[in-house]
Amino acid sequence: MKLYTILFSLLVACRILASQPVVPGAVWNDTNGNPINAHGGGILFDQGTYYWYGEFKNDSTGRAMDGVSCYSSADLMNWKNEGLALSVMPQGSFSDIEQGCILERPKVIYNPETGKYVMWFHLELKDRGYAAARAGVAVSDTPAGPFRFLYSYRPCAGSWPENLSQPERESTTTESDFAEWWTPEWMQAVKNGLFVRRDLQGGQMARDMNLFVDTDGKAYHIYSSEENLTLHIAELTPDYLSHTGRYIRIFPGGHNEAPALFTKDGRYYMITSGCTGWDPNEARLLSAPALWGPWEQHPNPCRGEDAALTFHSQSTCVLPVAGKPDTFIYMGDRWNPRCLIDSRYIWLPIRFEKNLPVIDWTPEWYLSVLP
Ligand code: DGJ
């Protein structure tokens, strides 16, 4: 082949890659031509490369049979499969992350003080359904891993949330005072800290989760707690490997899952979902002048076709685009519970209207539209 033919082919290939659109909900292949398998994921930007971590699904049960996948990209469009960042342990190993456990919503942050990449995830112990409600942590010296599992636990054992009042801490109301759940009296008791008190000694339940590193380098764990009824924001230790015990409750009884937190112009925003299993529901938008609150709720940030169902998706993270200040991408999962491996990704640009984020449905868009 003549040199100019090769150069021409390369130019055409580059133009095709550069002009590839993001098609929310379509199968998204990696650079080997295989569908990207990184669900409930999050993205770390590290030294010029994006790393996308997620649940590697391989059957329809939702159990973790392999672990956490990792893909890398320089341009957010073309993703190279880096293999498993964290592998589950063999059956019979009695590890917390034994094959068949439930390992969801992994997120990775980098700690410049220790030089370690730290992964947190929601962990349910094998064969115990969603009862364990633990947070798991793993570390690595390199972004793509392999990560080494450290431990799992329920956060903040022995610590009261900062915004639980003294009378609520001292209340003697317990679960056994209620014959059934979901009555108005029961809901009021939940709001007044029923489950926080129940779980004080063993640690607070931690399911759907995310991580957030603030501009001062402090890291936070945001998770659905109290039987998924209340979100907690908890401070991590300087090495990012455990909780300091300082935490707050947000919207007690609000039933929020899938928290995705980001900051712009000194204000903090969080997109969440309601709790309807794998089925989509209407996204919620919360904001606060500080991580410690006060948090307020705004109308659904989604606009356009099927906005009331978050475009058939559930938030997993909001990605700040590197090198483009105040530019964010909404990342959600379009779950397919009958075949979880075939769950798709909904990525959409976020714009701001009156200082609030807005996500418009767009069937196809180009990363070049980002400001
Ligand atoms: C909704 C959560 O957001 C998902 O991560 C997963 O836990 C499903 N529930 C399981 O039903």
Side-chain angles (χ1 to χ4, degrees), residues 133-198:
R134 291 193 190 191
V137 59
V139 284
S140 169
D141 293 326
T142 51
F147 280 74
R148 184 168 53 89
F149 173 67
L150 295 181
Y151 38 72
S152 74
Y153 64 94
R154 283 190 172 187
C156 300
S159 300
W160 291 111
E162 287 197 349
N163 54 356
L164 193 72
S165 69
Q166 201 57 34
E168 288 171 326
R169 294 177 191 194
E170 288 167 6
S171 163
T172 52
T173 307
T174 67
E175 262 184 299
S176 56
D177 294 325
F178 301 92
E180 51 178 322
W181 282 28
W182 307 112
T183 62
E185 298 74 26
W186 175 88
M187 184 52 93
Q188 190 55 52
V190 168
K191 290 180 181 171
N192 294 345
L194 180 72
F195 293 128
V196 177
R197 288 191 300 274
R198 181 195 69 184

Side-chain angles (χ1 to χ4, degrees), residues 304-326:
E305 199 181 324
D306 291 331
L309 290 177
T310 320
F311 322 118
H312 300 271
S313 76
Q314 186 184 29
S315 42
T316 185
C317 83
V318 169
L319 170 68
V321 179
K324 296 196 175 209
D326 298 340

Side-chain angles (χ1 to χ4, degrees), residues 24-179:
V27 172
W28 194 342
N29 285 337
D30 66 17
T31 51
N32 289 329
N34 299 313
I36 294 172
N37 192 338
H39 309 278
I43 291 189
L44 169 76
F45 183 71
D46 186 65
Q47 297 183 42
T49 301
Y50 293 96
Y51 293 89
W52 177 353
Y53 305 87
E55 303 159 20
F56 185 93
K57 300 284 191 200
N58 82 350
D59 63 10
S60 58
T61 66
R63 295 173 301 153
M65 304 307 285
D66 299 275
V68 176
S69 52
C70 176
Y71 294 80
S72 64
S73 173
D75 59 8
L76 288 175
M77 239 1 265
N78 300 285
W79 292 94
K80 176 175 172 251
N81 186 354
E82 298 281 353
L84 290 175
L86 174 69
S87 299
V88 294
M89 301 304 278
Q91 302 232 18
S93 60
F94 299 105
S95 162
D96 287 359
I97 58 162
E98 182 176 345
Q99 188 180 50
C101 66
I102 293 173
L103 196 167
E104 292 182 337
R105 299 184 177 267
K107 305 287 181 292
V108 173
I109 49 180
Y110 175 68
N111 187 309
E113 299 301 319
T114 62
K116 301 280 184 204
Y117 296 83
V118 181
M119 178 189 291
W120 284 86
F121 49 88
H122 164 205
L123 179 71
E124 298 293 347
L125 302 174
K126 191 178 171 212
D127 298 331
R128 286 186 46 193
Y130 277 84
R134 291 193 190 191
V137 59
V139 284
S140 169
D141 293 326
T142 51
F147 280 74
R148 184 168 53 89
F149 173 67
L150 295 181
Y151 38 72
S152 74
Y153 64 94
R154 283 190 172 187
C156 300
S159 300
W160 291 111
E162 287 197 349
N163 54 356
L164 193 72
S165 69
Q166 201 57 34
E168 288 171 326
R169 294 177 191 194
E170 288 167 6
S171 163
T172 52
T173 307
T174 67
E175 262 184 299
S176 56
D177 294 325
F178 301 92

